[in-house]
Amino acid sequence: KPTAAVPHKGGERIKPGSIEYNLLAEWIASGAPGPRADDPRITGIEIVPPVVTLAPGGQQQLIVLAHFSDGRVQDVTRWAKYTAADTSVATVDDTGKVKVAGRGEAPIVAWYLSRLTTATIAVPLGACDPALFASAPRRNFIDDLVFQKLKSLNLPPSPRSSDGEFLRRAYLDTIGVLPTADEARAFLADNSPDKRDRLIESLLNRPEFVDYWAYRWSDLLLVSSRSLRPAGMRAYYAWVRQQVADNTPWDQFARRVVTATGSTLENGAANFYLLHDDPSKSAETVSVAFLGMSVNCAKCHNHPLEKWTNSQYYAFANLFSRVRTKNAPGDGNFVIFAAAEGELIQPLTGKPQPPEPLDGKAIAFDDPTDRRVHAADWLVSRDNPYFTRAVVNRVWANYLGVGLVESVDDMRKTNPASNEALIAALSTYLADQKFDLKSLMRLILQSETYQRSSQPAGANSADKRFYSHYYTKRLMAEVALDALSQVTAVPTQFKDYPLGTRAVQLPDSNVDSYFLKAFGRPDRTITCACERTEQPSVAQTLHIANGDTINPKLQAKGSRVEQWAAANTPDEKIVEELYLSALSRYPTDDEKKRLLAALGEQKDQNRREVIEDLYWGVLSSNSFLFNH
């Protein structure tokens, strides 16, 4: 079939007389012998050159070398498989020859036998004044490593953000709420050089910080009454929230989830094992939530272009094979415990695999200790190359809009980071800080990289990966709804929750809200960032224009609009307060002039309706609905 000697839908794959053909023919002729126990085993591969800078239209032949256990090094360029991660920058053919297709940076992945490696192809964006990088301000090593990357690509950095930009951005990214008009006014009037640092410190210690990050981690751990009894759901959320309030180090957070035992009402983390009631589910969610990668494909077969094998999958899942559940008094109350026996059978072999973490050390079948403790020890170890990178990438993506590895749940070797040196340095930093996430957040918030303007500068307008400017992003559904409630002074009523409960304070994703659904709230049925969407849609546009969220809030009794109209507040004050509360800045002279003129032209109309129109115009704008 592969020579097309007989009909084959795949076409000709091997030419008669080729090296491949002769190798197979000779092997078959010698009886197709299997591998011997003393055969050399592959230990790794390298690609040469690992990093190369090319000009537009340039080409580069890559060489792949395989290293074997007997010390032999073999050129396997002919046998390796190649893929280009970004074909808009560079393509690669079956022989390993790279051709430039555009400007930017593109990883090229090479695969041989069970090993993967990558080369980086950089195509600078043309000339850029080196003085831009020499004179640009730097706060910490984040800026050093980002500038290093920008300089290699001739990407100019945007200037520093305005105070109003930074204020609104830091509030939304850190605590999920807008600054009030008074908070914005005070910050903008403050001329002290350390005011941004003081703001950062205050945000990290505000109660809203707990609300926001408890919500984000509840997304990750699937806290929802769709799958749990209400009492169990509340206990699970209360546990997550308490960890955030206590600033529990991330390694301890993960360990407590993985090794959770006892009553699901008394130890909320134990609900994780009600949601994942078989070893495979447990292993798959642990790998996505805490390692940022999926091992699901290996459940059925060895994927030719992925690292994990079917045997590794079942060895990892077997670490969770002895988790048991029994009923306890009370609605939603169960007891999670570790049994003394039980194995997960690998379907392809009909036998269990020795319980073993991914790339870790196996434990004996008859080891009486809770296997999950062994799994947790491996998971949170500094020697684990995946654990720290995964949470660093999640936190970075929250603040910068785009993960160093994108998407955040796809941290396979075939999907390398846009700045490997930076994610490695951040991972080391977090481990050195004993996994204190606030330390990582502080470092990011203080960096000039985070504080850069969202306005593109020259050639960096097309940059979406290297952080030459802050990437504008739509507000998270819950944050957007809370912002609308805050600016209009009309809280959203959620069924079975007290009036005044904000969307990011909801413990449950199973709460009816058309706005949250339309704007991408996840259902929390699978651990995947893909469940939440920030993509615009026609439904969102129509809802903003004439749905039952903005307009009813503007028309509600006691709303900010009614207050301004009843007090006969001057137009200039209304415009200023609206801009400060919604956009965290004063209107420009031109904006003020045009708005006051428009308001003046409508003096004969119902004053409340005029103010409603003004509010609707701002609250439906991209300036309000996006973080920038």
Side-chain angles (χ1 to χ4, degrees):
K1 285 183 177 181
T3 62
V6 295
H8 175 48
K9 290 182 179 180
E12 185 183 71
R13 309 296 294 176
I14 301 176
K15 290 185 178 298
S18 67
I19 294 176
E20 292 87 350
Y21 181 92
N22 291 334
L23 277 172
L24 284 172
E26 291 171 7
W27 174 65
I28 293 170
S30 63
R36 298 192 307 268
D38 60 348
D39 280 341
R41 295 294 192 266
I42 190 167
T43 58
I45 64 173
E46 64 174 314
I47 194 166
V48 181
V51 179
V52 60
T53 300
L54 298 175
Q59 299 184 15
Q60 175 70 46
Q61 176 64 53
L62 300 175
I63 305 297
V64 178
L65 303 175
H67 295 257
F68 290 88
S69 56
D70 60 356
R72 180 167 52 95
V73 178
Q74 182 177 337
D75 184 340
V76 295
T77 305
R78 180 187 183 93
W79 316 107
K81 301 297 183 185
Y82 306 91
T83 57
D86 188 346
T87 55
S88 68
V89 176
T91 60
V92 62
D93 65 16
D94 291 341
T95 68
K97 179 175 282 187
V98 174
K99 294 183 179 180
V100 171
R103 297 180 185 272
E105 187 176 271
I108 304 295
V109 180
W111 167 67
Y112 176 70
L113 297 183
S114 60
R115 303 306 171 107
L116 298 164
T117 190
T118 59
T120 300
I121 309 300
V123 187
L125 279 78
C128 183
D129 186 357
L132 282 173
F133 302 103
S135 61
R138 303 167 189 239
R139 178 65 186 272
N140 52 45
F141 69 80
I142 291 176
D143 302 318
D144 294 334
L145 294 172
V146 168
F147 278 134
Q148 189 178 93
K149 177 67 71 173
L150 295 180
K151 189 175 182 180
S152 73
L153 295 170
N154 285 340
L155 270 173
S158 290
R160 208 180 206 219
S161 61
S162 67
D163 282 345
E165 253 188 323
F166 173 76
L167 174 70
R168 189 175 193 267
R169 178 190 305 172
Y171 263 74
L172 291 171
D173 285 341
T174 306
I175 64 174
V177 300
L178 289 170
T180 65
D182 288 341
E183 288 170 335
R185 187 180 289 107
F187 185 79
L188 296 175
D190 188 349
N191 294 319
S192 56
D194 66 339
K195 69 177 185 179
R196 293 195 180 194
D197 281 358
R198 287 188 286 107
L199 174 69
I200 291 168
E201 212 56 44
S202 70
L203 293 176
L204 293 174
N205 289 284
R206 283 182 55 153
E208 296 95 335
F209 176 92
V210 180
D211 297 331
Y212 179 72
W213 285 99
Y215 197 93
R216 296 307 299 256
W217 300 140
S218 293
D219 280 353
L220 189 70
L221 295 179
L222 308 181
V223 180
S224 173
S225 63
R226 286 184 177 87
S227 306
L228 295 169
R229 297 292 298 162
M233 177 274 298
R234 288 192 293 270
Y236 199 11
Y237 173 77
W239 181 87
V240 173
R241 182 181 174 82
Q242 191 60 53
Q243 305 314 300
V244 177
D246 293 343
N247 196 31
T248 299
W250 187 249
D251 60 335
Q252 295 181 32
F253 183 106
R255 178 183 291 278
R256 291 171 185 176
V257 171
V258 172
T259 63
T261 57
S263 163
T264 54
L265 298 187
E266 295 175 5
N267 178 13
N271 285 279
F272 177 86
Y273 289 103
L274 290 185
L275 294 170
H276 307 92
D277 53 3
D278 71 61
S280 295
K281 287 182 180 179
S282 299
E284 290 170 6
T285 295
V286 166
S287 67
V288 175
F290 297 118
L291 303 177
M293 60 185 180
S294 172
V295 296
N296 298 26
C297 287
K299 184 175 184 178
C300 300
H301 57 86
N302 296 339
H303 196 288
L305 291 178
E306 285 305 330
K307 176 179 175 61
W308 310 116
T309 66
N310 182 254
S311 293
Q312 284 179 300
Y313 175 94
Y314 279 94
F316 182 43
N318 205 18
L319 289 165
F320 301 93
S321 63
R322 295 183 175 180
V323 179
R324 299 289 184 270
T325 305
K326 64 182 179 181
N327 294 329
D331 183 34
N333 193 16
F334 300 87
V335 174
I336 305 298
F337 65 99
E341 58 183 22
E343 307 292 350
L344 177 66
I345 302 301
Q346 182 183 10
L348 293 180
T349 65
K351 300 177 181 179
Q353 283 289 333
E356 179 181 0
L358 301 172
D359 281 349
K361 293 182 179 180
I363 56 175
F365 284 118
D366 59 357
D367 190 317
T369 59
D370 187 344
R371 292 176 175 180
R372 296 175 303 157
V373 174
H374 183 69
D377 289 343
W378 160 82
L379 180 69
V380 304
S381 169
R382 283 191 68 137
D383 296 331
N384 186 331
Y386 315 107
F387 175 72
T388 315
R389 288 169 64 96
V391 71
V392 161
N393 197 48
R394 289 189 191 281
V395 173
W396 180 272
N398 175 84
Y399 282 98
L400 277 300
V402 176
L404 287 160
V405 177
E406 189 65 23
S407 69
V408 295
D409 295 323
D410 188 18
M411 298 192 72
R412 300 165 297 158
K413 195 164 186 177
T414 50
N415 184 33
S418 61
N419 192 324
E420 177 57 38
L422 178 55
I423 194 170
L426 287 169
S427 298
T428 299
Y429 175 84
L430 181 60
D432 289 344
Q433 298 298 312
K434 302 186 184 302
F435 295 94
D436 178 1
L437 294 186
K438 282 190 178 182
S439 293
L440 176 64
M441 295 173 189
R442 183 182 295 108
L443 187 80
I444 294 171
L445 284 160
Q446 289 179 341
S447 71
E448 291 295 331
T449 298
Y450 178 78
Q451 296 190 26
R452 203 162 285 143
S453 172
S454 61
Q455 293 298 313
N460 77 15
S461 59
D463 168 35
K464 303 297 181 186
R465 296 192 70 211
F466 306 110
Y467 313 103
S468 60
H469 56 93
Y470 181 87
Y471 304 132
T472 300
K473 56 182 185 270
R474 207 206 69 210
L475 299 185
M476 195 170 87
E478 298 84 349
V479 171
L481 183 55
D482 288 344
L484 289 170
S485 298
Q486 180 178 326
V487 175
T488 59
V490 179
T492 301
Q493 177 68 70
F494 298 105
K495 185 180 179 181
D496 299 327
Y497 289 91
L499 183 65
T501 301
R502 292 182 292 113
V504 294
Q505 293 176 319
L506 294 171
D508 191 4
S509 65
N510 189 22
V511 176
D512 184 50
S513 168
Y514 181 81
F515 183 97
L516 295 180
K517 181 179 179 181
F519 279 78
R521 175 190 60 186
D523 289 333
R524 295 180 179 171
T525 55
I526 58 172
T527 301
C528 179
C530 58
E531 261 210 321
R532 178 180 293 280
T533 175
E534 295 181 357
Q535 295 299 313
S537 67
V538 173
Q540 294 168 11
T541 302
L542 294 174
H543 190 69
I544 290 294
N546 55 20
D548 61 0
T549 298
I550 294 183
N551 290 327
K553 287 183 182 297
L554 297 176
Q555 297 160 4
K557 184 176 181 180
S559 70
R560 192 84 66 201
V561 171
E562 183 183 70
Q563 295 172 29
W564 294 140
N568 201 25
T569 307
D571 291 348
E572 185 170 351
K573 180 175 176 57
I574 293 174
V575 171
E576 180 179 291
E577 289 291 320
L578 173 57
Y579 267 69
L580 285 170
S581 62
L583 307 180
S584 305
R585 65 175 176 86
Y586 290 100
T588 64
D589 291 341
D590 182 58
E591 287 170 334
K592 182 185 291 187
K593 180 180 178 181
R594 288 189 292 126
L595 288 173
L596 291 178
L599 291 172
E601 291 171 1
Q602 302 178 62
K603 281 184 178 179
D604 295 335
Q605 297 185 31
N606 181 294
R607 179 165 171 74
R608 173 165 180 161
E609 291 180 358
V610 172
I611 300 173
E612 285 179 9
D613 288 346
L614 171 65
Y615 264 71
W616 185 90
V618 171
L619 297 181
S620 64
S621 70
N622 285 344
S623 294
F624 177 79
L625 294 172
F626 283 75
N627 194 359
H628 45 80

